[in-house]
Amino acid sequence: MEKAEKKNSRLKAMVQSFGLPRLIITAFLILLLALAPVVGADLPSQISNIIARFSWNGVLVLAMVPMVHSGCGLNFGLPLGIISGLLGATMSIQFGFTGALSFVMAILFATPLAFIFGGGYGWLLNKIKGGEMMIATYVGFSSVSLMCMMWLILPYSKPNMVWGLAGKGLRTTISLEGYYRGVLANFLEIRIGKLVIPTGTLLFFALLAFLMWAFLHTKTGTAMTAVGSNPTFAKAAGINVNKIRMLSVIMSTWLAAVGILVYEQGFGFIQLYMAPFYMALPAVSAILIGGATVNKASITNVIIGTILFQGIVTMTPTTMNSLIHMDMSEVIRIIASNGMILYALTRKTEGAK
């Protein structure tokens, strides 16, 4: 009897620590994976897709961690960092860099832009403490609208980037063939039948995740956590709250810039204009689904959330299409992704209590 009670208590503790909603989502993902071969979907290919999408999106989700730790909330201004990355990517191509060097140069070009944009963004958030997420949303969306005009008037001239007839303004989609397409994904790639593991991209994410974990355990990282937990106490302890908050915003903006470059090398294209508009909500939702709250996030939350979000978004349309023998993949993907975004955003206030 006592053994049964102990097992039940341990089970309840595990459920409570992992979270019932995440258990349900995990069970649903496992069910989809189990159904895949039954309905005729190729399971190794689908697992490869989940791993690939995790590797593409992991850094963008990781970009949420610094701002959450400093108390600046969820970074709905993620498009600002993404724009820095897009500018770095297009500048790298414009100046004629190719192959793996174009990826390195894209990061180098994007870094000062991310520092400048992140610094201005951090200054603004310091001025309106308490309303960070509202302003972040405005900054993110308005920056995308501004760049829709700037992509047309910036002095780019590379023939494979500009519109063909007039030779002015950047195209909506730019191919990375010959540049940094697959530069990480193809590095040390493992193929086992139809199962493909993009080792290079996973290692790159692991490196950034480790550096973030290591930073959060430094004196500055501990100060950042203290600012997010109790800014009054942190200020009394001699911590420059505004400086720490600004550092977290710059870090988040830079990670977003690098994250979009990692996404592009896997996807194979640069997407401009309205594309950054659709990147923030999935990243926010992934980290919330992973167990983060508006003032607490960990690397584990990033990994679990990204796998669950990308797994559901990948498997749901594939399995449903095979089940009903009708191509409704895009409709089902929109329903699944937006449903998970809605769930994640409606539970964020609960975690803040």
Side-chain angles (χ1 to χ4, degrees):
M1 191 70 176
E2 289 182 5
K3 288 183 178 179
E5 288 179 358
K6 286 182 180 179
K7 284 183 179 179
N8 288 334
S9 62
R10 280 199 296 266
L11 184 60
K12 286 180 181 178
M14 286 175 62
V15 170
Q16 190 173 7
S17 63
F18 191 71
L20 182 60
R22 277 181 297 288
L23 282 175
I24 295 172
I25 293 172
T26 303
F28 182 55
L29 178 57
I30 293 171
L31 176 63
L32 290 174
L33 290 168
L35 280 175
V38 176
V39 298
D42 185 25
L43 184 58
S45 296
Q46 297 312 310
I47 293 175
S48 297
N49 289 338
I50 293 172
I51 296 172
R53 292 179 70 93
F54 166 81
S55 69
W56 299 355
N57 291 275
V59 180
L60 288 170
V61 182
L62 184 67
M64 295 288 157
V65 174
M67 282 184 58
V68 170
H69 266 268
S70 69
C72 290
L74 301 163
N75 188 8
F76 287 96
L78 198 71
L80 201 63
I82 291 172
I83 287 168
S84 302
L86 293 175
L87 285 167
T90 50
M91 288 169 66
S92 177
I93 295 174
Q94 173 68 25
F95 290 119
F97 297 102
T98 58
L101 182 60
S102 64
F103 182 74
V104 175
M105 293 307 299
I107 293 177
L108 292 178
F109 284 133
T111 296
L113 294 172
F115 284 12
I116 293 169
F117 294 163
Y121 180 27
W123 174 85
L124 181 61
L125 293 184
N126 279 337
K127 293 294 182 182
I128 44 85
K129 291 185 180 75
E132 289 92 348
M133 283 193 280
M134 182 187 300
I135 297 301
T137 304
Y138 172 78
V139 168
F141 290 174
S142 61
S143 63
V144 173
S145 300
L146 173 63
M147 288 308 297
C148 284
M149 295 181 284
M150 296 303 294
W151 295 126
L152 293 171
I153 62 176
L154 288 171
Y156 288 99
S157 59
K158 201 75 171 177
N160 61 329
M161 290 202 300
V162 297
W163 291 107
L165 295 176
K168 292 182 180 178
L170 291 176
R171 300 176 187 178
T172 306
T173 304
I174 299 167
S175 174
L176 288 173
E177 194 66 49
Y179 297 100
Y180 57 88
R181 179 177 182 177
V183 66
L184 295 175
N186 296 336
F187 178 68
L188 300 177
E189 182 185 74
I190 298 173
R191 287 182 177 270
I192 306 172
K194 293 184 179 180
L195 179 66
V196 181
I197 302 175
T199 310
T201 318
L202 293 174
L203 288 174
F204 189 80
F205 167 77
L207 173 64
L208 291 178
F210 172 76
L211 291 175
M212 175 59 67
W213 175 86
F215 169 78
L216 292 175
H217 286 78
T218 64
K219 185 178 179 180
T220 305
T222 304
M224 186 176 289
T225 304
V227 168
S229 301
N230 192 329
T232 305
F233 173 80
K235 187 175 181 180
I239 298 172
N240 189 327
V241 173
N242 285 350
K243 183 179 178 180
I244 291 294
R245 281 167 56 96
M246 182 172 288
L247 174 62
S248 74
V249 177
I250 292 172
M251 288 177 64
S252 182
T253 306
W254 182 79
L255 281 170
V258 175
I260 195 61
L261 295 174
V262 173
Y263 181 91
E264 289 166 357
Q265 63 82 33
F267 186 60
F269 297 91
I270 297 172
Q271 289 185 304
L272 304 176
Y273 298 96
M274 291 302 293
F277 186 83
Y278 303 103
M279 302 299 289
L281 285 178
V284 170
S285 301
I287 198 165
L288 289 176
I289 288 169
T293 66
V294 293
N295 52 19
K296 185 179 180 182
S298 67
I299 306 301
T300 304
N301 298 146
V302 172
I303 294 170
I304 293 174
T306 308
I307 290 173
L308 291 179
F309 188 92
Q310 296 302 328
I312 295 294
V313 170
T314 300
M315 290 302 302
T316 303
T318 304
T319 305
M320 292 302 294
N321 278 352
S322 301
L323 188 63
I324 64 179
H325 302 290
M326 187 182 299
D327 187 9
M328 296 181 63
S329 57
E330 194 56 33
V331 174
I332 296 171
R333 182 174 285 111
I334 290 171
I335 293 172
S337 60
N338 288 348
M340 294 185 74
I341 289 169
L342 180 62
Y343 156 73
L345 296 181
T346 52
R347 65 167 289 278
K348 70 178 178 63
T349 51
E350 296 172 11
K353 290 180 182 180

